[in-house]
Amino acid sequence: MSALHQQTAEELSRALKAEEISSQQIVQSCFERISETEHLGCFLHVDQANALKAAQASDDRRAKGEKLSALDGIPVALKDNHMTLDMPTTAASKILTDLQSPYEATVARKLREAGAIILGKTNMDEFAMGSSNEHSAYQAVRNPWNTECVPGGSSGGSAAAVAARQVPLSLGTDTGGSIRQPASMCGVYGLKPTYGRVSRQGIIAFASSLDQVGPFARTPKDLAALLDIIAGYDPLDSTSAQVETPRYSDELLPQVKGLRIGIPNEYFGEGLQDEVRDRIEQSVDSLKQAGAIVTEISLPHTQYALSTYYLIATAEVSSNLARYDGIRYGARIEDRDLRKMIARTRSAGFGAEVQRRIVLGTFVLSAGYYDAYYGKAQKVRTLIRKDFENAFDSVDVILTPTSPFTAFPLGSKTKDPMSMYLSDICTLAVNLAGVPGLSVPIGFSDAGLPIGAQLIGPWFKEKRLLQIAQYFEENLSMSTKSPDL
Ligand code: GLN
């Protein structure tokens, strides 16, 4: 049997059931791995004592013969924008240094109720704004496949921790690509569910009309098992959808025969790395051979996705981040003058990228510019959504690259925000439309860096995406390829 930290949640769960191992042993093995590979910088907080206590409680439940969930005793890591009671929640920002939340995110509560063990909180770009994890106020995260490269972002810690076998499962958030893009760059599976599928209650808000929580895992089955626990209506989140939730892990069989797959030509233009294009084409060929019907489609408003996203997201940022004024939350820089206290606190507490977005968002919402920028962006957002509605009249799923390029060297884009923003060119429209997107690892570049394909489905059709991902896993066995660390 391979080391415990190497195993998938499904394998661990089977071994727990067979009483071959204990949850305490699994948790111990993950902590050993985390400290062995600490140079990757994936975690901002770990809580070994509480995790071991929770593992012992899980082992006790099992010994008593209680009926347990599939993830009882299995470790999970949470991005550090998920409120938790036992660890600080900083969103990787200095302004929230040591913030101790008085309540817990719904998804964290659901995980605990299912018996999963929360090992720690993962590193991220500050307030989830970024595509490389380099905007963390703490350390950068390193890509497990090449430690001189970024892991992607903003959920870089969650993606890298799963890729590096530190933990079998993790949660991230995705506002414009922050689950799918790092999943692609780290060679793991990552799903952004339909907007409203998973509760956002207790998640630090970035852009509330776009934010969505979702899972990372090394196999589609593990992704489904985690989604089973976190998905569903939550009365505490006003945007939570009251739509029936299927059992994602039931009969998760590869479903490709007769499937109508659309390939949007807008996603294959300038800036796409040749090796990414080649791998995507190979994947499309393999799907055809398995009986899928592939057609070229058009999503004509794709070219406006980037500007629309940066108008809407920054407008929401300027409003959501107004609450960090040094009075109620986090750090404060004292000054006898109230205005100066707020200004000094915000200037010292927020990093450069967050400040850039607050200023931009304030501008696009200001009198005289509102209609020209924010109002227009909302109209274009509707057109982008309609592109997807039209496409799904004739296809079951859309396939694109997840990221136009593989992981890039640390420091190579930090001075050029526009080139950083272009990392998300393939993922942004999905958030604007609210549809689900799943990044599937499909191979490697010549330099040994992972490449991902993005599967986009109609609203609430996550199961369909998981079934196609399962086809890829059975054909390529990407879950068995691990970085040499
Ligand atoms: N990289 C995008 C941004 O910087 C998306 C971030 C996200 O999805 N949280 O806004």
Side-chain angles (χ1 to χ4, degrees):
M1 200 160 65
S2 59
L4 292 182
H5 64 79
Q6 288 280 357
Q7 297 185 31
T8 63
E10 188 192 9
E11 289 165 339
L12 292 170
S13 183
R14 210 179 301 127
L16 281 170
K17 261 187 215 131
E19 291 175 34
E20 292 160 8
I21 53 167
S22 68
S23 172
Q24 290 170 85
Q25 284 171 315
I26 300 173
V27 168
Q28 200 75 53
S29 169
C30 288
F31 278 115
E32 277 162 27
R33 178 68 173 170
I34 290 169
S35 78
E36 235 172 63
T37 52
E38 210 180 352
H39 61 286
L40 297 174
C42 299
F43 281 86
L44 292 179
H45 326 282
V46 287
D47 189 343
Q48 193 154 356
N50 267 322
L52 281 168
K53 229 191 279 167
Q56 173 152 28
S58 167
D59 290 335
D60 292 347
R61 282 193 292 278
R62 199 172 297 275
K64 282 195 213 128
E66 289 179 27
K67 193 172 165 354
L68 304 180
S69 91
L71 295 189
D72 206 299
I74 306 289
V76 182
L78 305 184
K79 186 177 181 178
D80 200 30
N81 57 355
H82 289 60
M83 302 285 209
T84 49
L85 284 170
D86 53 1
M87 281 174 264
T89 302
T90 67
S93 180
K94 288 235 152 46
I95 211 158
L96 294 182
T97 310
D98 298 329
L99 173 75
Q100 193 50 66
S101 169
Y103 66 94
E104 205 150 63
T106 295
V107 291
R109 177 179 56 74
K110 283 183 162 185
L111 283 168
R112 289 195 210 276
E113 283 169 6
I117 315 294
I118 299 176
L119 288 193
K121 310 285 290 287
T122 55
N123 202 349
M124 56 186 282
D125 284 296
E126 184 178 3
F127 284 104
M129 297 172 203
S131 314
S132 69
N133 220 113
E134 292 164 296
H135 297 316
S136 169
Y138 303 95
Q139 71 274 15
V141 176
R142 291 171 181 275
N143 190 310
W145 296 92
N146 178 342
T147 53
E148 296 308 312
C149 288
V150 303
S154 65
S155 314
S158 289
V162 170
R165 272 66 182 159
Q166 293 181 340
V167 62
L169 302 168
S170 64
L171 290 186
T173 55
D174 189 314
T175 304
S178 281
I179 293 175
R180 291 158 288 154
Q181 186 256 25
S184 170
M185 290 190 172
C186 289
V188 297
Y189 293 85
L191 171 69
K192 182 205 87 78
T194 308
Y195 183 76
R197 175 82 295 179
V198 178
S199 169
R200 292 184 299 113
Q201 193 266 349
I203 306 297
I204 294 183
F206 164 6
S208 310
S209 77
L210 300 160
D211 297 343
Q212 186 57 199
V213 176
F216 288 94
R218 294 195 293 267
T219 67
K221 285 190 180 162
D222 280 8
L223 211 57
L226 186 48
L227 186 61
D228 273 336
I229 290 171
I230 60 170
Y233 174 65
D234 179 8
L236 297 175
D237 172 359
S238 63
T239 59
S240 173
Q242 295 206 46
V243 174
E244 205 193 324
T245 316
R247 285 274 306 167
Y248 296 100
S249 51
D250 282 354
E251 292 176 57
L252 191 61
L253 303 169
Q255 283 309 343
V256 174
K257 206 170 161 40
L259 190 78
R260 297 169 305 164
I261 302 176
I263 311 289
N265 53 44
E266 291 83 359
Y267 284 72
F268 292 83
E270 222 184 298
L272 185 63
Q273 192 177 321
D274 289 340
E275 291 163 295
V276 175
R277 183 192 307 271
D278 292 349
R279 285 282 173 286
I280 296 279
E281 282 171 359
Q282 285 168 11
S283 301
V284 171
D285 285 344
S286 132
L287 289 163
K288 273 190 203 156
Q289 273 162 26
I293 305 147
V294 177
T295 49
E296 247 190 57
I297 59 164
S298 173
L299 298 167
H301 297 93
T302 302
Q303 57 175 313
Y304 305 113
L306 186 81
S307 30
T308 304
Y309 171 83
Y310 276 95
L311 292 172
I312 292 175
T314 57
E316 295 184 22
V317 162
S318 74
S319 159
N320 273 331
L321 272 60
R323 72 191 74 173
Y324 306 111
D325 52 12
I327 296 173
R328 287 188 62 187
Y329 307 104
R332 172 190 302 173
I333 304 228
E334 297 292 350
D335 197 295
R336 292 171 58 84
D337 179 317
L338 178 67
R339 277 167 175 267
K340 279 195 193 141
M341 184 283 282
I342 294 174
R344 291 181 63 192
T345 297
R346 286 168 69 83
S347 299
F350 290 132
E353 181 62 27
V354 173
Q355 294 194 29
R356 183 176 5 256
R357 300 206 189 190
I358 292 172
V359 171
L360 190 59
T362 306
F363 175 72
V364 307
L365 288 177
S366 57
Y369 294 102
Y370 183 97
D371 289 339
Y373 293 116
Y374 184 72
K376 196 151 183 195
Q378 292 293 10
K379 289 184 186 146
V380 180
R381 181 176 188 173
T382 303
L383 295 175
I384 290 172
R385 187 186 163 96
K386 286 201 173 129
D387 279 357
F388 283 98
E389 278 171 13
N390 293 340
F392 288 126
D393 280 344
S394 59
V395 297
D396 303 310
V397 68
I398 296 171
L399 189 147
T400 74
T402 307
S403 164
F405 33 71
T406 53
F408 43 89
L410 284 154
S412 62
K413 292 188 194 288
T414 37
K415 298 271 172 321
D416 180 1
M418 195 58 200
S419 87
M420 190 72 92
Y421 297 170
L422 284 168
S423 310
D424 302 297
I425 195 78
C426 304
T427 48
L428 298 169
V430 166
N431 298 74
L432 289 165
V435 288
L438 196 166
S439 184
V440 178
I442 54 167
F444 296 91
S445 66
D446 291 345
L449 289 166
I451 294 173
Q454 174 175 233
L455 303 169
I456 306 170
W459 293 264
F460 299 104
K461 298 295 182 201
E462 287 82 1
K463 180 117 191 196
R464 186 180 297 167
L465 304 185
L466 289 162
Q467 286 166 332
I468 306 167
Q470 183 60 22
Y471 165 81
F472 278 102
E473 178 57 29
E474 289 185 14
N475 273 270
L476 302 170
S477 304
M478 286 294 288
S479 70
T480 61
K481 312 214 165 38
S482 64
D484 203 4
L485 281 162

